[in-house]
Amino acid sequence: MVVAAWDLGTPFYAYGASLGDTVLATHDADEGRPTFRSVLSKSGNRTVRVTFDPPVERDNPSDQVLQGLVWLGCQYEGVNPRYLSITIPP
């Protein structure tokens, strides 16, 4: 069992978890590593996943929205230019 603050970046696939949350992860034999199970305490951050159409490209409308979110204090990570996970601070 692992109890730790989620500080590996914005979670993409651990729904209900956000950057800075304290989470429980137990060993998963199929995965061969600790796997997210639950949130033990919330950080106050929120995570949203966004699909951009058109994909984010320098100075296009999607990039302008994304840069506006950054200006407001959000952080993001992208799987690709279309699918991003955004951390909204408390």
Side-chain angles (χ1 to χ4, degrees), residues 1-86:
M1 175 172 67
V2 176
V3 175
W6 191 292
D7 61 359
L8 302 173
T10 304
F12 280 98
Y13 303 111
Y15 287 86
S18 295
L19 183 66
D21 289 354
T22 301
V23 300
L24 172 66
T26 59
H27 182 78
D28 184 308
D30 293 334
E31 295 285 330
R33 60 191 159 123
T35 301
F36 169 76
R37 299 296 179 205
S38 65
V39 174
L40 300 176
S41 66
K42 301 292 280 176
S43 63
N45 293 317
R46 295 292 176 253
T47 301
V48 295
R49 290 143 190 97
V50 178
T51 302
F52 282 99
D53 186 21
V56 176
E57 292 181 8
R58 185 176 173 89
D59 295 325
N60 77 355
S62 296
D63 184 51
Q64 292 169 3
V65 169
L66 190 58
Q67 294 314 312
L69 291 169
V70 169
W71 184 83
L72 291 170
C74 298
Q75 300 176 44
Y76 69 92
E77 291 186 44
V79 171
N80 57 51
R82 184 176 296 277
Y83 182 54
L84 288 88
S85 182
I86 300 171

